[in-house]
Amino acid sequence: MKTLSPRHLLTASALAVTVGLGFAGAQQVATETPPQVDQQAQEAANNNQPLGATVAEDRGTQVMPDSFADLVEKVSPAVVNITTTSVVAAPAGGQGPMFPEGSPFSDLFRDFGFPGMPGPDGQQQRRGPPQRSNALGSGFVISADGYIVTNNHVIDGADAIEIEFYSGKTLPAEVVGTDPNTDVAVLKVESPDPIPFVTFGDSDEARVGDWVLALGNPLGQGFSASSGIVSARNRELSGTYDDYLQTDAAINRGNSGGPLFNLNGEVVGVNTAILSPNGGSIGIGFSMASNVVSKVVDQLREYGETRRGWLGVKIQDVTPDMAEALGLGASRGAMITDVPEGPARDAGMKAGDVITSFDGVEVEDTRGLVRRVAEAPAGEAVEVVVQRDGGPQTLRVTLGRRELAEGSAADVSPQTPGESEMLGMTLATLTPDLAAELGVARDMKGLVVKSVDPEGVAADKGLAAGDIITEAGQQPVANLADLNARVDEAREAGRKSLLMLIRRAGEPRFVALPIEAAE
């Protein structure tokens, strides 16, 4: 499991380590299961029925459970412990501790200069021959034929993977597919008998305050359950597709990849990270929402990889002053800052368009648009509504595939005599020589920001020397006269701000610059 310390996020994968004379490995703690529970679980698997199917009926209209015991008994046969084995470099002479890469203990022992680890001066200590090391995590079965979901970081780099079921039975597993972007991995075991499994619930229906139950293998101690509530929704940590449920259910290292259940016995999250100053649970845990995970799992099972949609635009959120400058009723949607070669350009999208609807769903911000595009199948034609020239336009876009597009650098440079002060900046026309100095195309057109008044409106909006203004009022500007004309037009239209497209180090961004007090 990841853990967010004051400096970084930690995963919740417990590590079975060997430290000199001490602990030689994490062991499963046996948990007795009533025979009727095992029998009911196997019957459900034989009938291809998820374990939580009858939980809601048993619960009736009860809001606060007297106990979670019935729920734990029903779903626990589908929760598994995962042990991975990998080869790591060992200390010379067998001295000192050995840790898998990324162990939270490595910093501690590094400071004391143990062999095999960088010392305080950064120099690598002597290492002996490679040795095998184990790491532990959790997961859950999602089908009777043996598909298992866990975190990618639990099995990343593993040479061998072993699944231990609640009954104590163990089976080897193979990796079906992984997605580092959402930290999801799908494994497969082969069993002569159907395996008890659980299903995904609708994480969008999870409300702040709802009861949830986390199951897994914390700190290598074996099967464990903890309860809590949904503390927050839609948390974003560090990934493009992040959509985490925050919970105060105790989650520790080793819980990574384990399920977060609602009271209906459905998986609404995959336990992934914790926020902690010390590596242990302090009641702030994060589970990747099931509505994100389930779509990734479907693609990994079908293709062995993800196949996300790709629109091919650079975007930014619409701020209130940008909305006012554009005459929009509200600061919602995603503004296009650049359109390199790709599906969006082919469909006629332009820089300055504001995407307000994608495939029939309203777009609130850039994060929501990125998720919806990624969830749309590559090669599918979708309708996209943009605001342009004060009104909506509907464009039909055939999406590309993001995995193929990523890494291919798109050429995003259009656009460049005199010098003048206006809007809190000293501006000059971009010449070929200036363009060469700034590292942009010599034929780029626009205005170069030579300096910025630290107390002026431009400084307030973050403009800096070296920025290049290529558009104002959604029209190209090639010289100071063009910019003055755009300012006059905005004032005549009663606007308080003028929308400008600037480029900094080649990256485009829109800025709404106040013009009320400008001379």
Side-chain angles (χ1 to χ4, degrees):
M1 176 131 215
K2 296 181 181 177
T3 304
L4 283 168
S5 70
R7 293 176 298 174
H8 57 274
L9 182 72
L10 298 181
T11 63
S13 297
L15 303 172
V17 298
T18 304
V19 184
L21 303 176
F23 178 56
Q27 296 181 351
Q28 168 72 11
V29 177
T31 305
E32 291 188 6
T33 309
Q36 65 271 22
V37 172
D38 281 336
Q39 183 179 352
Q40 291 169 359
Q42 189 58 55
E43 288 177 356
N46 293 339
N47 296 326
N48 200 33
Q49 183 181 45
L51 295 180
T54 61
V55 173
E57 300 174 9
D58 298 341
R59 224 172 25 94
T61 58
Q62 186 181 26
V63 175
M64 185 173 181
D66 295 327
S67 169
F68 291 96
D70 291 340
L71 175 59
V72 172
E73 281 188 351
K74 283 185 179 293
V75 300
S76 56
V79 181
V80 301
N81 294 344
I82 299 176
T83 303
T84 65
T85 305
S86 57
V87 176
V88 297
Q95 300 177 11
M98 179 189 68
F99 302 102
E101 188 65 31
S103 164
F105 302 105
S106 58
D107 289 340
L108 171 66
F109 288 96
R110 181 185 299 113
D111 292 341
F112 288 93
F114 276 93
M117 294 192 177
D121 59 355
Q123 295 298 311
Q124 188 75 15
Q125 306 295 316
R126 259 186 331 120
R127 289 187 179 272
Q131 296 184 11
R132 302 195 73 78
S133 174
N134 293 337
L136 305 177
S138 305
F140 54 98
V141 185
I142 58 168
S143 67
D145 56 348
Y147 283 96
I148 295 171
V149 174
T150 186
N151 281 144
N152 176 60
H153 74 261
V154 169
I155 55 90
D156 189 30
D159 299 320
I161 304 170
E162 184 178 75
I163 305 298
E164 182 176 8
F165 294 88
Y166 187 72
S167 63
K169 178 181 179 180
T170 61
L171 289 173
E174 297 293 331
V175 177
V176 174
T178 64
D179 178 35
N181 288 317
T182 54
D183 201 7
V184 171
V186 176
L187 312 178
K188 181 72 165 62
V189 296
E190 298 298 334
S191 172
D193 302 314
I195 302 175
F197 65 97
V198 289
T199 59
F200 289 108
D202 186 352
S203 56
D204 288 343
E205 292 184 356
R207 299 179 303 163
V208 174
D210 279 351
W211 283 104
V212 285
L213 182 75
L215 299 183
N217 177 25
L219 302 174
Q221 295 302 302
F223 181 85
S224 180
S226 61
S227 65
I229 62 169
V230 175
S231 306
R233 290 172 38 84
N234 304 123
R235 291 299 200 201
E236 182 180 7
L237 301 182
S238 59
T240 304
Y241 310 108
D242 284 1
D243 185 11
Y244 287 97
L245 298 178
Q246 180 184 324
T247 179
D248 63 350
I251 296 175
N252 287 284
R253 293 184 178 275
N255 279 111
S256 269
L260 188 72
F261 288 102
N262 61 20
L263 294 189
N264 293 331
E266 301 166 328
V267 178
V268 292
V270 177
N271 301 323
T272 304
I274 58 176
L275 179 66
S276 174
N278 55 22
S281 173
I282 60 170
I284 306 178
F286 301 94
S287 296
M288 182 64 80
S290 60
N291 286 358
V292 174
V293 176
S294 61
K295 292 180 175 64
V296 171
V297 167
D298 288 344
Q299 291 190 352
L300 294 180
R301 289 179 64 176
E302 184 174 358
Y303 308 114
E305 61 185 359
T306 55
R307 296 187 178 183
R308 294 185 170 96
W310 178 62
L311 188 57
V313 292
K314 292 185 177 182
I315 52 177
Q316 71 179 78
D317 286 329
V318 178
T319 63
D321 51 359
M322 288 166 60
E324 194 280 333
L326 289 167
L328 300 176
S331 54
R332 52 176 296 274
M335 171 165 280
I336 300 175
T337 61
D338 199 21
V339 190
E341 285 188 23
R345 178 184 287 187
D346 294 342
M349 288 189 183
K350 301 178 180 179
D353 287 349
V354 177
I355 300 175
T356 58
S357 174
F358 178 85
D359 199 19
V361 179
E362 289 190 358
V363 174
E364 293 297 326
D365 53 25
T366 55
R367 183 182 170 199
L369 177 61
V370 169
R371 279 193 54 198
R372 297 199 181 281
V373 172
E375 291 170 359
E380 180 178 282
V382 298
E383 288 190 347
V384 181
V385 179
V386 301
Q387 286 288 329
R388 181 188 297 172
D389 298 329
Q393 293 192 26
T394 301
L395 304 173
R396 194 162 183 82
V397 186
T398 300
L399 300 177
R401 183 180 168 196
R402 186 181 182 97
E403 289 81 3
L404 298 179
E406 283 179 337
S408 59
D411 226 353
V412 286
S413 32
Q415 326 134 134
T416 120
E419 186 171 305
S420 179
E421 292 186 5
M422 62 184 302
L423 302 176
M425 301 174 285
T426 300
L427 302 173
T429 301
L430 183 63
T431 63
D433 290 340
L434 272 175
E437 288 180 21
L438 295 170
V440 298
R442 293 180 64 86
D443 59 350
M444 179 180 283
K445 300 285 193 279
L447 296 171
V448 179
V449 179
K450 302 297 289 289
S451 63
V452 177
D453 180 355
E455 298 181 356
V457 293
D460 290 341
K461 293 298 180 180
L463 273 76
D467 289 345
I468 302 173
I469 301 171
T470 58
E471 289 185 13
Q474 296 185 287
Q475 298 182 54
V477 291
N479 50 51
L480 293 166
D482 289 343
L483 180 58
N484 277 312
R486 301 294 87 77
V487 171
D488 292 340
E489 290 170 2
R491 285 182 179 150
E492 290 173 5
R495 303 282 185 225
K496 297 178 181 179
S497 302
L498 177 65
L499 193 67
M500 295 186 180
L501 178 62
I502 67 166
R503 291 183 182 273
R504 178 178 296 171
E507 290 297 315
R509 186 165 186 82
F510 281 101
V511 174
L513 204 61
I515 57 174
E516 285 184 298
E519 295 180 0

